[in-house]
Amino acid sequence: MSLSSITTNKLIVLDADWESREKILDELARRLYEEGKITDKTAFLDAVWLRENLSETGFEQGIAIPHGKSLAVPAPAFAVARLKHPVDDWPTMDGEDNVDLVFLLAVPEGDDDGHLKLLSTLSLTLMQEENVYALKRAADPVSFLTLLDSPAHRADTPPLAQHARSLIVITSCPTGIAHTYMAAEALEKAGAARGIRVLSEKQGASGTEDEVTPEEIRAADGVIFAASLPPKGKGRFNGKPYLCVPVSEPLRDADGVISRFLTAPEGIVQDDTQSAPVSASKSLSGRLYQGVSSGISYMIPVIVAAGLMIGVAQLLAGAFGVTNPADARYATSDNRLLETAHGLSLYGTMIMKFMYPVFAAYMAWSIADRPGLVPGFIGGAFAGGLHYTFWSIDGGIPSGFLGALILGMAAGLIADALNRHIHLHKHLQAMKPMLIVPGLTVLLLFFLNSGFVDPVFGGLNQALQGFIIEHGRSSALLLSVIIASLTAFDLGGPVNKSAGAIAIGLAADHIFPLTPRVLAIVIPPIGIGLATLIDRFIVHRRVFDDSLRVTGTTSLILGFLAIGEGAIPFMLKNPLITITLNILGAVLGSVIAIQLGSVQWYPLPAVWGWPLVENLPAYLCGMGVGIAFIAISNVLVRYYFIKHGTLKID
């Protein structure tokens, strides 16, 4: 793609004196609008800021590539600002946060191909330091565009010998595409400098690009996996030496990555269906951390889909004054919309049941590859309590997210150990991945769940439920603290539901209002979601990784719909921090609202229930304090642990 064909000289602003990210984006968007590249400046800027709130668009060397996809963009275009002085409010991947060269990309809604081509072309051009150096010193817009279309090349790159060594690189990142392409480019350059032919396969946002052929694989000396998530199709590289690094590592030291592969590869890739995963040689903590990250990334769509169905059902039912569309009496209602709301509510609840199975399955898959997938799913089903449903056991309390963590981890580690240590005759190899490994793993999971996970964590949840009942008629303040704490504890899990049953019973008898209950439902997901948006303003850096920043936006939106499950990924990844702060924030907000005289007797925590609150200002005051506490404390606590090396983010 010719970059000069989708911009104009008037969209290249050199030596601008703009002093903030907001000013830069506003000025460049205005120029795009004046040049007819966008039809609505406000709509386009909304899309740009939505993307900015997901993750950093700043990279090394003071470059930023903000971008927005919008219906206000008829065709791909971009504008550039080269600044007189670097701005320090633009988060960058290297943490320097000093940007002086900004490319604002305008992409049509639905044009994924144009979006990717535009980003990848710019990313690859800006990978070369000499290109960036030249662009920052271009005399005028014409020279600037000429440099973009005719990037410099290293004069000292040695030509490849006819029979040069070759190396395959697989790059991928969980969100965005820039790192995928830039990591590949960095390794290609570093390989060329050593006389090594590097073939890069990018497993990016649009799928696999430049897929290597079987002939290229056979001729290669090995493979480097520069990926944040387990790469696809590792079985193709069976028998090849490999090295596994994060996708950001080549951007810091590509030559060092290649040197590590040449001198100390991690091992030999074994077939996808009968081997340990590429990450097998990592430390146990590293493998578990990657497992949790993978499980969360695959679980998020389940939560979003379930929350959307339940939210739509509540909106439909709310229009007719119905607060609980899941009630069986609406299954055959004369009102077709209420009947639809009933079905959607049950549908969303059903989808939510698969949240823990999906999480545990992909956690185990990340640890053990394919042999861990089915055992992990079964472990997650235990954690979600599906066995109680299938076995018709009334009153069974599932182990919840802690159970999913333990069973998913166990499934992965057990399957991985069995897979690596069981050796069969070559004629019996097919039995290992199809029968022996999954069979033994799920058998061991049964005993682990029935002998430890269910009794310990189910028993803990049951004890908490009994505690609620025992203190159900205590003083108002103590009762508020108890209900708020246990409602916020597991965000829709068994403890939350136990607290809800008692609270609703007390409200039905008009003994105690639902104020602490409804506030504790909405405060944690909104607070944690807000934290992902404000961290860079408080501590001038991100304290959440890419996947959690995306989840944060979802959690924020679902929180206003009274769906707390959007914040569960935060609990799964950092349970001690998240649960503690959720409880403190919910208690703080509830107590303040009650002390100021707020009363809510109806089980309507969502935004449409607010008009039914007595003394709404007091209610909103308490809610605001609780949300602010969770948001700010999450940022500060996580920042403290990151600085002291006890918490890491991707």
Side-chain angles (χ1 to χ4, degrees), residues 2 454 555:
S2 171
D454 263 356
S555 178

Side-chain angles (χ1 to χ4, degrees), residues 37 57 59 170 230 261 300 343 354 360 398 427 531 590 603 628:
K37 301 296 185 181
T57 55
F59 297 92
I170 307 296
F261 170 81
I300 288 170
F354 291 94
H427 297 306
S590 300

Side-chain angles (χ1 to χ4, degrees), residues 289-451:
Y289 182 82
Q290 178 174 301
V292 173
S293 298
S294 297
I296 289 173
S297 69
Y298 284 99
M299 181 182 68
I300 288 170
V302 179
I303 295 174
V304 173
L308 180 62
M309 295 303 99
I310 295 171
V312 171
Q314 290 179 345
L315 285 173
L316 284 175
F320 299 96
V322 174
T323 60
N324 182 21
D327 194 311
R329 59 181 164 166
Y330 300 115
T332 56
S333 173
D334 294 334
N335 187 322
R336 290 289 296 172
L337 287 178
L338 277 180
E339 189 175 335
T340 300
H342 174 77
L344 286 174
S345 180
L346 297 183
Y347 183 40
T349 302
M350 182 193 76
I351 295 173
M352 197 71 76
K353 290 287 187 182
F354 291 94
M355 174 178 63
Y356 291 133
V358 168
F359 167 78
Y362 281 99
M363 180 180 181
W365 170 69
S366 176
I367 296 171
D369 215 308
R370 207 168 83 178
L373 189 62
V374 170
F377 188 90
I378 293 171
F382 277 138
L386 293 180
H387 55 308
Y388 295 131
T389 301
F390 297 147
W391 299 344
S392 300
I393 297 176
D394 295 329
I397 299 178
S399 55
F401 73 95
L402 289 176
L405 272 173
I406 293 172
L407 292 170
M409 174 186 66
L413 294 177
I414 293 170
D416 181 38
L418 292 174
N419 198 37
R420 287 188 290 112
H421 292 99
I422 293 177
H423 302 286
L424 300 176
H425 188 276
K426 63 180 180 180
H427 297 306
L428 301 176
Q429 280 288 346
M431 294 177 59
K432 188 166 75 168
M434 300 298 294
L435 174 62
I436 297 175
V437 171
L440 288 176
T441 305
V442 298
L443 178 63
L444 292 173
L445 286 180
F446 171 80
F447 290 114
L448 175 63
N449 183 70
S450 59

Side-chain angles (χ1 to χ4, degrees), residues 525-544:
I526 297 176
I528 196 74
L530 181 62
T532 64
L533 303 181
I534 66 172
D535 53 355
R536 66 188 187 279
F537 301 112
I538 296 178
V539 296
H540 305 294
R541 64 156 295 164
R542 295 287 193 177
V543 299
F544 299 92

Side-chain angles (χ1 to χ4, degrees), residues 170 223-227 229-238 240-246 265-272 275-283 287 290 365-371 416 419-420:
I170 307 296
V223 56
I224 294 176
F225 298 98
L229 294 176
K232 305 169 187 174
K234 294 192 298 293
R236 296 172 293 164
F237 307 103
N238 183 31
K240 295 290 183 182
Y242 73 86
L243 179 70
C244 187
V245 298
E266 293 188 19
I268 303 296
V269 179
Q270 300 176 40
D271 187 82
D272 193 43
S275 71
V278 168
S279 62
S281 63
K282 287 185 175 181
S283 66
R287 295 170 65 194
Q290 178 174 301
W365 170 69
S366 176
I367 296 171
D369 215 308
R370 207 168 83 178
D416 181 38
N419 198 37
R420 287 188 290 112

Side-chain angles (χ1 to χ4, degrees), residues 12 209 571:
I12 311 297
E209 298 182 33
M571 287 202 316

